[in-house]
Amino acid sequence: MAEPSEAKFEKQLILAKKRGADRMSGVLAKAVAYDGNRNRIVITLNGDVEVSFVPSAAEGLADAPPEALTNVELTPFGTGIHFPDLDADIYVPALLEGLLGSRCWMASRLGSSGGSATSSAKIEAARENGKLGGRPKKNAA
C-alpha cells in the first residue's frame, strides 16, 4: 500500500534537513575579495584559512576585467561565491577539491595543454605532414 503523502513529505523533509546540516558542518567561506595587486581571488574560510587563485583558472572568470572581479559576493551560507557582473558562480566545496569549473570546461583545459606538448616524434610528424601540403583546408559550407 502506498505511503500517505503527508508522511512521505515528512520523511523527505527530515532527509533534506540532514543533508543541509551535513553541508553546513564542513568548510565554509566567511569572506571573499579580489586582490588586484596580485591578480587573485582571495577566499577566507572558517578557521581563518585563506585560499587564493588566479581568475583565469576558474570557469567564467578567465577573460573578466578587474572591475567585474571586484564586484564579488559571498552566498548566504558561505558555500559559494558569486560575481554578479559576470553571472558566474564558484561552489566552495568543489573549489577545495580542485575543480574550478564544470567537467566539460576542465576537460577542455586539460586537452588544450596536451595538444601543446612537444616531442621529437611530434616535430618529425609535423614536418612530414608539411611536405604533403599540411593540414587540409576546411570546407566552407
Side-chain angles (χ1 to χ4, degrees):
M1 187 164 115
E3 188 175 355
S5 62
E6 191 173 319
K8 186 176 181 180
F9 173 77
E10 288 298 321
K11 267 186 172 176
Q12 290 174 338
L13 182 61
I14 290 167
L15 290 172
K17 285 181 176 180
K18 182 181 180 332
R19 284 192 306 269
D22 289 345
R23 285 193 178 162
M24 303 320 310
S25 64
V27 178
L28 303 172
K30 64 179 194 177
V32 62
Y34 173 66
D35 180 347
N37 293 329
R38 297 186 309 144
N39 187 33
R40 298 254 190 239
I41 305 296
V42 181
I43 304 170
T44 305
L45 305 171
N46 54 353
D48 294 325
V49 172
E50 280 190 355
V51 175
S52 69
F53 59 92
V54 293
S56 62
E59 183 175 14
L61 306 182
D63 299 320
E67 311 81 57
L69 296 170
T70 57
N71 187 12
V72 58
E73 303 169 346
L74 198 57
T75 60
F77 295 111
T79 56
I81 56 176
H82 175 65
F83 296 86
D85 296 346
L86 304 168
D87 194 26
D89 298 282
I90 296 177
Y91 184 54
V92 173
L95 169 76
L96 298 174
E97 291 172 9
L99 304 174
L100 292 168
S102 66
R103 287 178 192 248
C104 181
W105 185 79
M106 294 296 287
S108 73
R109 298 265 314 220
L110 290 171
S112 67
S113 66
S116 66
T118 57
S119 67
S120 56
K122 190 172 180 180
I123 293 168
E124 185 58 34
R127 284 190 185 128
E128 290 301 313
N129 191 31
K131 290 177 188 175
L132 298 173
R135 185 180 301 242
K137 302 280 186 233
K138 290 185 179 181
N139 292 333

